[in-house]
Amino acid sequence: MPDLIIPRDLFNEVLEYCSSVFPHEACGILAGIEGRVARVYPVKNIDPSPVSYFMDPSEQLQIQKRMRERKEEMVAIFHSHPQSPAYPSAKDVHLAFYEDAFYMIVGLSEDIIGETRAFTIVGGNVQEITISIVD
Ligand SMILES: [Zn+2]
């Protein structure tokens, strides 16, 4: 299984962004080059809720255009779970359209604050992968 490779400062950027959107779910795209995260693109959650997210489609299109210009690929999609463990919900699995991307979930509930895990979701199958935070 491949790793999600993310520099520490970008990892912290994701955690801070997710905290800033609390108590709602935050979401966004982790773009990279050769599988390593190189930039964080926060995306507006147009279904603001503590239990679900839906990325703003027009913002997502803009970001995908910018990523093409910068020759970046989509390494992962991230979102937060403000009140549940960092594991894909049934809805997350149902709406996981990107089989080539990783799904990173930031757990923000009090008992597991800062717990972050990553997965592949292919055809309804959830597989955990390792997050490698690099300096
Ligand atoms: Zn979720």
Side-chain angles (χ1 to χ4, degrees), residues 51-63:
V51 293
S52 69
Y53 75 99
F54 199 87
M55 288 198 274
D56 185 330
S58 62
E59 220 175 281
Q60 206 180 334
L61 272 179
Q62 290 277 330
I63 289 166

Side-chain angles (χ1 to χ4, degrees), residues 65-130:
K65 183 167 174 272
R66 223 168 304 152
M67 283 169 57
R68 271 197 304 276
E69 288 163 2
R70 289 168 164 162
K71 301 198 181 343
E72 296 166 342
E73 59 201 81
M74 186 167 76
V75 177
I77 292 166
F78 73 89
H79 72 285
S80 62
H81 277 182
Q83 47 176 236
S84 57
Y87 193 83
S89 67
K91 189 175 177 187
D92 290 339
V93 174
H94 185 64
L95 295 177
F97 302 124
Y98 299 98
E99 302 202 333
D100 296 330
F102 298 138
Y103 287 84
M104 187 170 94
I105 302 180
V106 179
L108 292 174
S109 71
E110 271 176 56
D111 48 334
I112 48 161
I113 193 138
E115 185 205 28
T116 301
R117 297 166 72 185
F119 308 87
T120 56
I121 306 174
V122 178
N125 287 311
V126 178
Q127 284 254 17
E128 183 157 15
I129 57 147
T130 308

